[in-house]
Amino acid sequence: MKKVLAIMGSPRKGKNADQLLDKVLEGIKDSGEEVEIKKVYLKDLKISHCIGCGYCEKTGKCFMDDDMNVLYDEFDSADSVIIASPVYFNSVNSFTKAMIDRCQAYWSSKYVLNKPSIDRNKKRLGVFLGVGGAPETEDQFLGAKLVIDYFFRAVNNKYEKDILVPHTDEKAVWEREDIMKEAYETGKHLFDNF
């Protein structure tokens, strides 16, 4: 059985990022694959900010005892991580970024200590769903994609796909048949070449 960790970074349940994520998950459920899905709302978790103390550079782990401990285990056991976030100031929002920054422990364990705290040999797929309220511009999602790329590297996921939706202040994702179809098909075929 495959495992999917679906991370909802937006504080707004039922809105653009959440509905886009749910459509991908619907596709996964309809794929015929046996898949266990764990959906996590970051706003419901207690995740402290990384303080750059260097503890993980000595131990490979973060010293903080909060809800990130649950996510660390999930990252290691997942076959796919799907992350949905609104884009604020050309990057992921603060709930999402706080979680990503706490993955410094993975980077330190791999590249400073040479003792990975995540299974580096396990194949994992990463999908990023980004929504932005502003009208489309050429580099609207560039900052977010760079952050997500490094995040997926830290948690050993191949950055497989992204769906980036601009101008959601004007037209919601659920009003865009093409986007919702792409999201559904992304989920339905996520593990086709796994």
Side-chain angles (χ1 to χ4, degrees):
M1 176 181 288
K2 294 183 178 65
K3 287 185 71 176
V4 170
L5 175 61
I7 299 173
M8 223 297 267
S10 174
R12 301 175 68 210
K13 290 183 179 180
K15 299 298 183 183
N16 288 295
D18 200 17
Q19 292 222 14
L20 193 60
L21 178 56
D22 281 346
K23 189 53 81 170
V24 173
L25 298 180
E26 182 185 329
I28 291 170
K29 290 173 188 171
D30 291 347
S31 70
E33 294 278 350
E34 223 180 300
V35 181
E36 175 189 330
I37 297 171
K38 178 166 187 162
K39 185 177 180 185
V40 175
Y41 288 89
L42 292 180
K43 83 171 208 70
D44 294 338
L45 302 181
K46 299 285 187 237
I47 297 176
S48 299
H49 295 275
C50 176
I51 59 171
C53 66
Y55 182 86
C56 64
E57 294 174 9
K58 297 176 182 85
T59 65
K61 298 181 180 189
C62 184
F63 80 93
M64 294 185 204
D65 186 16
D66 60 13
D67 290 335
M68 260 317 277
N69 290 325
V70 174
L71 290 181
Y72 289 137
D73 291 338
E74 293 295 332
F75 287 133
D76 199 28
S77 64
D79 296 294
S80 178
V81 175
I82 303 169
I83 187 160
S85 174
V87 172
Y88 298 163
F89 292 92
N90 205 22
S91 189
V92 295
N93 71 333
S94 61
F95 289 103
T96 306
K97 188 63 165 68
M99 183 228 24
I100 289 172
D101 287 351
R102 289 286 300 283
C103 289
Q104 179 68 16
Y106 288 128
W107 187 90
S108 293
S109 73
K110 289 191 287 188
Y111 301 112
V112 175
L113 297 174
N114 231 4
K115 295 179 183 175
S117 55
I118 191 168
D119 183 352
R120 293 184 81 176
N121 297 315
K122 181 174 178 159
K123 183 177 180 179
R124 297 180 187 89
L125 303 174
V127 176
F128 172 51
L129 310 173
V131 297
E136 186 171 8
T137 60
E138 184 180 342
D139 294 333
Q140 183 174 3
F141 295 97
L142 179 61
K145 285 180 67 170
L146 291 170
V147 169
I148 291 294
D149 179 46
Y150 284 111
F151 163 70
F152 281 146
R153 289 184 202 190
V155 296
N156 286 84
N157 277 246
K158 179 184 174 208
Y159 191 163
E160 187 74 10
K161 167 94 173 151
D162 54 43
I163 301 174
L164 309 171
V165 187
H167 216 187
T168 55
D169 287 349
E170 185 69 30
K171 190 171 185 181
V173 296
W174 56 87
E175 297 172 349
R176 301 181 191 191
E177 191 176 315
D178 59 329
I179 294 294
M180 296 305 269
K181 181 177 183 199
E182 181 182 1
Y184 177 83
E185 292 297 324
T186 295
K188 190 165 185 182
H189 300 288
L190 180 62
F191 293 113
D192 283 2
N193 298 313
F194 192 72

